[in-house]
Amino acid sequence: MAAQVSLALLLVAALALLLWLSCAAAEDAASGGARAAARHRAKAERHLKRLNKPAVKTIVSPDGDIIDCVHVSHQPAFDHPFLKNHTIQKRPTFYPEGIASKVESHKNSPSITQPWHQNGKCPEDTIPIRRTKAEDLLRASSAKKYGRKKHRSMAKPLSIDPDLLNESGHQHAIAYVEGERYYGAKATINVWKPKIQQSSEFSLSQLWILGGSFGEDLNSIEAGWQVSPDLYGDNNTRLFTYWTSDAYQATGCYNLLCSGFVQISNEIAMGASIYPLSYYGGSQYDISILVWKDPQEGHWWIQFGNDFVLGYWPAFLFNYLAESSSMIQWGGEVVNSQLEGEHTSTEMGSGHFPEEGFGKASYFRNIQIVDGSNNLRAPMEVGTFTERPSCYDVQNGNNEDWGHYFYYGGPGRSNNCP
Ligand SMILES: *[C@@H]1O[C@H](CO)[C@@H](O)[C@H](O)[C@H]1NC(C)=O
Ligand SMILES: *[C@@H]1O[C@H](CO)[C@@H](O)[C@H](O)[C@H]1NC(C)=O
Ligand SMILES: *[C@@H]1O[C@H](CO)[C@@H](O)[C@H](O)[C@H]1NC(C)=O
């Protein structure tokens, strides 16, 4: 009986879809622009099918996200030709030496969590994946471009090409180290909800593990939090990862929006919201992110907080990073899409300048690198960089409690940033 009812419902739904499609088709016939829109929609449908894998269980998050629990061996990574015969690593073979003890690092910061946890858990041997919706793809200029970075967006602290930097509209306030071989990086990042002026802009706070030159073949692994209305359809603060092996051109993407990253955690969904958020003049919250290269297998692992190993980027996705990283960056990045006229009022960090200090300005603390002996240690000769300090600034420091730290961010448009 139940089966008959659901079959009938399915038929009704199919008929409704057909009707909708034929109406849509009739309308589209009106103009070439509309036909292009229909093609865009059809491509989006096909792309959705590739992105959203069959779920063992589905959890609806209070923030509107749909979280699919997908069997680990059905995750997007295995669409990658190099991963066809890959055996999933259940855990890293090595951790960096010198990770602070749990007791110490839990001292003053309650754990950050994800809202979908309120409504369920993903079973063992599955991973939580934020489902991509049709409207997500329709916001992108093309379905294929969804989840990719639109521009070259890398700050280049040394031998900067100012025209190129200013042209791309991406602005940074960062700390960085270079000149050695790095095998990982760690930071504790203060979490905020910066205001975004236009939906095509974003504001993020992250670490970058970079390899190669800033030419066509830059390798990059990135992780942190971001607010990106075009990517997610809202202004929520979300945990994210990103990778590319060709300077943001053909390879790589955010989260699991392409094949490559192998997730093992059944508790953390990349691209899902995180809370609680810091409050100006009030409670402060931060997240810890550690990325390190397994000295045995060569994969780049990522850990969120003290408890969650999310997964890894297999070494063979990269050329330079297959060996080591040549530069680490930590900090904020925003897009200023107003290339002519007024500067955007999109905020970075808390939207306040570093001078305001703790509780008001956003910070990174305990920034560390992993060296060639697999030791987590303080970075040496930390540089800072920002394109326009009157819009977004950065100030670093060093003390016993916070190790190497910096405050960064700003409000964007103001009298001093017209
Ligand atoms: C996967 O394994 C099969 C059978 O052993 C082999 O023929 C194929 O070349 C392998 N593919 C890759 C990408 O290693
Ligand atoms: C970018 O452009 C602004 C305004 O035109 C200028 O003040 C600033 O110095 C430029 N930044 C760099 C890094 O050249
Ligand atoms: C995001 O915030 C902006 C203002 O900062 C607002 O105009 C916009 O409607 C918000 N978008 C969503 C999807 O809530």
Side-chain angles (χ1 to χ4, degrees), residues 80-86:
H80 197 289
F82 290 178
L83 281 164
K84 284 287 180 249
N85 294 344
H86 184 72

Side-chain angles (χ1 to χ4, degrees), residues 20-39 41:
W20 177 80
L21 281 175
S22 53
C23 288
E27 279 167 29
D28 289 347
S31 77
R35 263 200 302 279
R39 273 200 302 276
R41 223 166 22 234

Side-chain angles (χ1 to χ4, degrees), residues 195-197 229 233-235:
K195 284 203 192 69
I196 311 297
Q197 188 192 308
D234 61 23
N235 293 320

Side-chain angles (χ1 to χ4, degrees), residues 160-163 165-167 171 385-390:
I160 302 155
D161 177 350
D163 293 341
L165 268 178
N166 265 347
E167 211 178 306
Q171 288 185 252
F385 171 81
T386 180
E387 285 93 352
R388 290 179 69 179
S390 56

Side-chain angles (χ1 to χ4, degrees), residues 100-417:
S101 79
K102 282 192 182 188
V103 185
E104 186 196 332
S105 35
H106 274 313
K107 191 168 51 181
N108 45 17
S109 180
S111 308
I112 294 223
T113 181
Q114 295 191 310
W116 65 272
H117 290 171
Q118 293 167 32
N119 291 344
K121 281 182 162 185
C122 277
E124 293 264 309
D125 291 327
T126 70
I127 62 162
I129 306 185
R130 177 183 183 270
R131 187 185 296 176
T132 303
K133 299 175 183 165
E135 59 259 36
D136 291 331
L137 295 186
L138 296 177
R139 276 191 309 273
S141 57
S142 87
K144 259 186 128 169
K145 292 205 178 107
Y146 180 71
R148 297 181 184 279
K149 277 196 183 170
K150 290 190 190 90
H151 312 276
R152 175 201 145 91
S153 61
M154 191 46 51
K156 190 182 180 189
L158 296 184
S159 58
I160 302 155
D161 177 350
D163 293 341
L164 206 134
L165 268 178
N166 265 347
E167 211 178 306
S168 76
H170 287 246
Q171 288 185 252
H172 307 79
I174 58 168
Y176 66 93
V177 290
E178 63 179 346
E180 291 179 63
R181 288 167 179 264
Y182 308 100
Y183 296 84
K186 185 168 191 257
T188 299
I189 312 174
N190 195 198
V191 182
W192 292 84
K193 181 175 178 170
K195 284 203 192 69
I196 311 297
Q197 188 192 308
Q198 286 192 27
S199 68
S200 62
E201 299 178 337
F202 64 64
S203 180
L204 57 74
S205 296
Q206 64 169 50
L207 50 83
W208 285 259
I209 311 269
L210 299 165
S213 61
F214 284 83
E216 306 269 283
D217 57 355
L218 180 78
N219 287 192
S220 183
I221 287 177
E222 306 171 20
W225 59 258
Q226 66 180 170
V227 178
S228 179
D230 260 6
L231 190 58
Y232 302 107
D234 61 23
N235 293 320
N236 293 353
T237 301
R238 292 162 178 280
L239 179 72
F240 80 98
T241 61
Y242 183 87
W243 69 276
T244 179
S245 57
D246 62 359
Y248 311 99
Q249 297 176 77
T251 64
C253 59
Y254 285 105
N255 306 324
L256 295 175
L257 293 168
C258 63
S259 58
F261 184 80
V262 180
Q263 181 160 343
I264 60 161
S265 170
N266 66 342
E267 295 179 284
I268 298 296
M270 295 193 293
S273 308
I274 49 176
Y275 77 97
L277 306 173
S278 303
Y279 182 74
Y280 184 77
S283 302
Q284 298 300 301
Y285 298 95
D286 51 34
I287 54 172
S288 291
I289 291 180
L290 166 66
V291 175
W292 79 103
K293 190 170 166 60
D294 186 318
Q296 191 168 311
E297 307 284 345
H299 306 327
W300 288 89
W301 287 83
I302 177 168
Q303 177 169 301
F304 176 65
N306 295 298
D307 304 317
F308 304 114
V309 177
L310 299 189
Y312 58 93
W313 290 270
F316 53 73
L317 294 175
F318 306 102
N319 42 14
Y320 297 106
L321 286 180
E323 291 301 320
S324 61
S325 160
S326 50
M327 176 182 237
I328 308 285
Q329 299 180 349
W330 299 264
E333 176 180 350
V334 301
V335 176
N336 173 28
S337 59
Q338 328 266 80
L339 292 179
E340 315 267 316
E342 288 188 317
H343 193 279
T344 183
S345 58
T346 287
E347 299 172 337
M348 181 190 289
S350 67
H352 292 263
F353 284 114
E355 293 78 34
E356 293 195 39
F358 185 76
K360 297 181 173 173
S362 187
Y363 62 82
F364 276 58
R365 61 182 175 93
N366 299 108
I367 64 171
Q368 290 175 295
I369 57 102
V370 180
D371 66 16
S373 315
N374 201 33
N375 284 310
L376 200 56
R377 63 165 174 78
M380 299 203 282
E381 295 182 55
V382 179
T384 58
F385 171 81
T386 180
E387 285 93 352
R388 290 179 69 179
S390 56
C391 306
Y392 310 104
D393 206 0
V394 53
Q395 279 180 7
N396 61 349
N398 189 355
N399 66 30
E400 202 159 311
D401 251 14
W402 276 18
H404 281 266
Y405 67 87
F406 60 90
Y407 287 103
Y408 70 103
R413 187 168 72 233
S414 71
N415 289 339
N416 295 325
C417 172

